[in-house]
């Protein structure tokens, strides 16, 4: 009976083709009205109709059927539909929401193979997140969706990948309808916030044939469709939009671990090969430290790398900084492990340090640099001294710099906590520089001593030999370091005649993450 009704409406019932997104809203209204009328039939007739549907599906060897569950559902059926490859079970069990009783249903959407090429196994998790976010079509994850009448403005979806129920508010669904009437060509929303009802409820909520998306029919007749991959990528509490490079995906390291896992890249390959560039960018996010080899032993090479990504971060000293490392200035090494430019309200994200040349080598001396993972030290401090970690996340230390530059005189001053956590509780930034600490502390006097004690514990953890990695920087090499987490200092120079010319530059994560998204779209 249902099949004949749908054929009369020129709609394909239980076929391979989904209800076309180009179908007019008139057909959607007619279709939903017919379903509602049929669902009001007596239970015996519904059972007979259900049997016909199952028989029709079996004979056609269909991939799946479409469970139709609306706020007016009176149906209680169990459908087991065989497919060409495997059986897909669809369940509906409910009563009218108007009666105030519980209504629930679950649906299982078929999973297809994911052909994501993993650049590095250690980065597979967040690479998969990016890949799933970039595409909206095709099978992705097995999901089970349920709806509870006790909270009619939420839809619950459980993904088999994590076996956790995720709430999807209907107002968010309506806000992010992906049809051409609601978004422009760049997928920017054309829905005004004033037009949204926070308590909006759908008339019809259903999966589409082949289980490739979830469709919703709204009370005003608007029709929306949401691919399951898109839902997986936008699940609440797991990954906020645009934040797939979360600090939670960073790989912590100590001296022993990074000595084994430190990745090296060829300078010319980064300039010419997109796959190498993508892997390098992801590695900077993952471990915060890489070495680039084979760069010409002359200035301005970091500018080429910056242009390959987007552009360099210009600071008060310009786009790049030329510096000479020699015995007179570095015979005692750096004062302490540090991050750069803490006197800026937004310190730069990634530091590129190019060793242009060296000369006057004696006593096996080289330009050696000490490096430590601030995220690793922060985790250790939080485990061992949680009170100290909390203090350092709230106490803001002052940093300043007053000098003359090519752009004139400047006086820079800012404050930062030594450890910054994001809203999910993951450490997201380390800011510390002994040389540039100021005297201003905007805290009560009785808070100062515990703050100093906490900072001392953190710095002591950073400087433990097991946490400090020593690297000998050679001409033609570039150290790429995440300035938000990896601290550094020069080792003491012991040869009076030794001199090394280096050039530094900075990049921001806005440009880096943008390039990652562009490359994923291009390559995967």
């Amino acid at each position: 009976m249902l099949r004949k009704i749908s054929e009369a409406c020129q709609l394909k019932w239980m076929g391979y083709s989904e209800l076309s997104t180009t179908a007019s809203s008139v057909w959607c209204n007619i279709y939903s009205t017919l379903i509602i009328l049929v669902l009001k039939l007596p239970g015996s007739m519904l059972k007979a109709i259900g049997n016909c549907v199952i028989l029709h599906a079996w004979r056609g060897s269909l991939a799946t059927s479409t469970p139709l569950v609306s706020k007016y559902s009176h149906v209680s059926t169990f459908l087991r539909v065989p497919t060409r490859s495997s059986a897909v079970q669809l369940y509906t069990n409910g009563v009218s929401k108007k009666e105030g009783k519980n209504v629930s249903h679950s649906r299982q959407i078929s999973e297809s193979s994911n052909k994501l090429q993993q650049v590095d196994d250690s980065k597979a998790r967040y690479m998969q997140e990016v890949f799933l976010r970039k595409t909206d079509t095709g099978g992705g994850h097995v999901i089970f969706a349920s709806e509870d009448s006790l909270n009619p403005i939420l839809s619950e979806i459980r993904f088999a990948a994590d076996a956790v129920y995720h709430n999807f508010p209907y107002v968010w669904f309506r806000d992010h309808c992906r049809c051409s009437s609601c978004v422009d060509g760049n997928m920017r929303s054309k829905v005004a916030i004033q037009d949204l009802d926070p308590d909006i409820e759908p008339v019809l909520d259903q999966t589409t044939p082949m289980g490739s998306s979830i469709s919703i029919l709204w009370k005003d007749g608007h029709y929306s469709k949401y691919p399951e991959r898109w839902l997986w990528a936008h699940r609440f509490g797991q990954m906020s939009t645009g934040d797939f490079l979360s600090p939670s995906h960073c790989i912590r390291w100590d001296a022993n671990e990074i000595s084994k896992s430190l990745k090296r890249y060829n300078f010319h390959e980064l300039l010419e090969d997109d796959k190498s560039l993508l892997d390098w960018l992801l590695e900077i996010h993952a471990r915060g430290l890489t070495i680039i080899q084979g760069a010409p032993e002359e200035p301005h090479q970091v500018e080429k790398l910056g242009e390959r990504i987007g552009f360099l971060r210009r600071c008060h000293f310009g786009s790049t900084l030329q510096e000479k490392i020699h015995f007179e200035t570095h015979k005692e090494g750096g004062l302490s492990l540090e991050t750069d430019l803490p006197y800026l309200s937004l310190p730069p994200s990634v530091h590129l340090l190019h060793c242009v040349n060296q000369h006057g080598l004696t006593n096996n001396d080289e330009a050696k640099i000490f490096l430590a993972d601030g995220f690793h030290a922060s985790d250790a401090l939080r485990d061992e001294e949680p009170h100290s970690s909390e203090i350092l996340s709230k106490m803001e230390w002052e940093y300043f710099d007053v000098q003359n530059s090519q752009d004139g005189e400047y006086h820079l001053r800012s404050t930062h906590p030594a450890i910054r956590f994001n809203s999910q509780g993951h450490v997201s930034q380390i800011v510390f520089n002994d040389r540039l600490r100021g005297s201003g502390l905007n805290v009560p006097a009785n808070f100062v001593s515990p703050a100093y004690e906490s900072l001392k514990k953190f710095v002591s953890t950073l400087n433990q030999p097991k946490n400090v990695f020593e690297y000998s920087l050679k001409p033609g090499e570039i150290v790429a370091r995440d300035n938000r987490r990896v601290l550094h200092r020069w080792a003491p120079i012991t040869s009076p005649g030794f001199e090394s010319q280096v050039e530094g530059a900075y990049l921001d994560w806005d440009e880096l993450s943008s390039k990652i998204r562009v490359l994923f779209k291009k390559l995967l």
Side-chain angles (χ1 to χ4, degrees), residues 416-444:
H416 298 278
I419 303 173
R420 180 172 279 117
F421 296 100
N422 63 14
S423 58
Q424 286 77 43
H426 301 295
V427 56
S428 59
Q429 185 182 28
I430 303 295
V431 179
F432 176 72
N433 192 310
D434 249 344
R435 296 181 300 113
L436 301 172
R437 279 193 297 111
S439 57
L441 292 175
N442 189 23
V443 294

Side-chain angles (χ1 to χ4, degrees), residues 252-291:
R252 274 56 166 172
W253 50 264
D254 58 15
N256 181 59
E257 197 279 334
I258 196 64
S259 65
K260 300 175 182 177
S261 61
L262 181 62
K263 297 192 69 172
R264 293 165 173 81
Y265 297 84
N266 180 270
F267 178 79
H268 298 286
E269 287 183 0
L270 293 181
L271 296 183
E272 299 170 1
D273 183 63
D274 287 341
K275 291 183 179 179
S276 295
L277 182 63
L278 175 59
D279 186 75
W280 175 67
L281 292 171
L282 291 173
E283 184 65 15
I284 292 179
H285 174 263
R287 291 186 174 86
L289 183 64
T290 67
I291 302 297

Side-chain angles (χ1 to χ4, degrees), residues 7-63:
E7 287 174 353
C9 295
Q10 298 180 357
L11 295 173
K12 294 183 179 180
W13 173 251
M14 302 204 53
Y16 284 106
S17 302
E18 299 182 10
L19 179 62
S20 174
T21 55
T22 60
S24 67
S25 59
V26 175
W27 282 114
C28 295
N29 288 330
I30 294 174
Y31 192 47
S32 60
T33 303
L34 288 171
I35 294 168
I36 293 171
L37 291 174
V38 172
L39 292 177
K40 291 185 177 181
L41 295 173
S44 59
M45 293 184 67
L46 284 175
K47 183 177 180 180
I49 292 173
N51 291 333
C52 292
V53 170
I54 295 174
L55 181 60
H56 180 66
W58 184 279
R59 289 175 177 174
S61 298
L62 302 174

